[in-house]
Amino acid sequence: ATFSSPSDFSHSSLVSPHAASNMALRSVCKLGLALLASVAGLEGRYTCNQSGPMGSPAVPDDAVRFATSVAAVNASIPVVWSMLLDVAHWKDWNDVFFVTNGNPEKVGDFFAVHSNLRTASLLLRRTTIVMKVTVLEEQKHICWNTMGLPVWARHCYFFCEVDGSTVWYNYEDQKGVMTGVTEQLAANATRDGFNRFNGNMTTEVEKQVRFSSMLVFP
């Protein structure tokens, strides 16, 4: 489960422009209220009860939570964690991120993340950034920091179990004099990318779980 937003609304050409405008406005309001209620319910259920936004881990001192996405799937933490760390196969099931030149296996490891943020400006849509693993708690928490940029940025995944499902947060924190600029330029697109990555990973985990349940051993 991931969070998304409505985008398309239409009205009949058989009504007057004024009536159509009122109808469209009422539809938007009703759908918006329904979406807020739905998201509130999901946030209330799928939370790891940490002190950060949406129940995520706390924001470091002097930093801002640049982007956050939360997802849940009916699978064990080891299954989801294993898929996340199998970075060599990210490009097999998603088009948001892929990794080259290394693997995030232990603190201090370097690797390169290639990003495709569809809703970012053309200049920031496709980037390649060197990362360094800075936090690693097995099957719970992993973070990597960007290298060589004029802003401190840390991208993390945090896992917990809730009602038999695995819940994880895909989030990024930033700090430094450039934070306000990067937030305006790329925060929304980054969140969209995190949502898409989480949705793709949820689908792939569910596919593997279904496949495993179909296996018959002699």
Side-chain angles (χ1 to χ4, degrees), residues 11-211:
H11 57 77
S12 170
S13 59
L14 299 178
V15 297
S16 69
H18 180 72
S21 177
N22 288 338
M23 290 170 59
L25 181 59
R26 286 196 296 269
S27 296
V28 171
C29 290
K30 288 180 180 178
L31 189 54
L33 290 173
L35 178 65
L36 287 174
S38 174
V39 169
L42 285 171
E43 288 183 0
R45 178 181 176 187
Y46 296 119
T47 175
C48 292
N49 292 316
Q50 302 295 299
S51 60
M54 297 163 59
S56 63
V59 182
D61 292 342
D62 301 325
V64 298
R65 183 59 43 88
F66 183 72
T68 309
S69 176
V70 60
V73 66
N74 187 19
S76 68
I77 289 179
V79 169
V80 186
W81 178 268
S82 177
M83 177 165 291
L84 176 67
L85 264 63
D86 186 15
V87 297
H89 291 97
W90 278 8
K91 58 185 175 183
D92 295 340
W93 48 263
N94 96 100
D95 66 343
V96 186
F97 303 118
F98 71 92
V99 169
T100 59
N101 300 319
N103 295 289
E105 296 177 343
K106 62 183 184 300
V107 171
D109 281 350
F110 290 89
F111 58 101
V113 173
H114 306 261
S115 303
N116 174 24
L117 303 178
R118 291 180 186 172
T119 58
S121 63
L122 190 59
L123 183 64
L124 300 175
R125 192 166 302 165
R126 294 181 181 273
T127 60
T128 299
I129 300 175
V130 175
M131 302 288 190
K132 179 182 179 181
V133 180
T134 52
V135 175
L136 179 55
E137 297 179 66
E138 189 67 24
Q139 298 185 12
K140 182 177 181 180
H141 200 191
I142 185 167
C143 302
W144 39 77
N145 281 58
T146 59
M147 298 285 103
L149 297 183
V151 62
W152 182 96
R154 175 178 288 174
H155 185 186
C156 300
Y157 295 84
F158 182 86
F159 292 76
C160 71
E161 188 272 334
V162 178
D163 295 335
S165 295
T166 295
V167 176
W168 73 92
Y169 293 89
N170 181 354
Y171 68 94
E172 181 174 325
D173 294 324
Q174 291 191 4
K175 59 183 175 180
V177 295
M178 293 294 294
T179 299
V181 176
T182 58
E183 194 168 16
Q184 290 183 13
L185 291 175
N188 289 336
T190 301
R191 185 181 63 250
D192 292 343
F194 287 0
N195 283 337
R196 200 164 80 251
F197 182 89
N198 280 356
N200 289 335
M201 189 160 74
T202 298
T203 299
E204 188 65 17
V205 168
E206 290 173 339
K207 186 189 303 181
Q208 289 200 10
V209 169
R210 285 195 302 270
F211 178 77

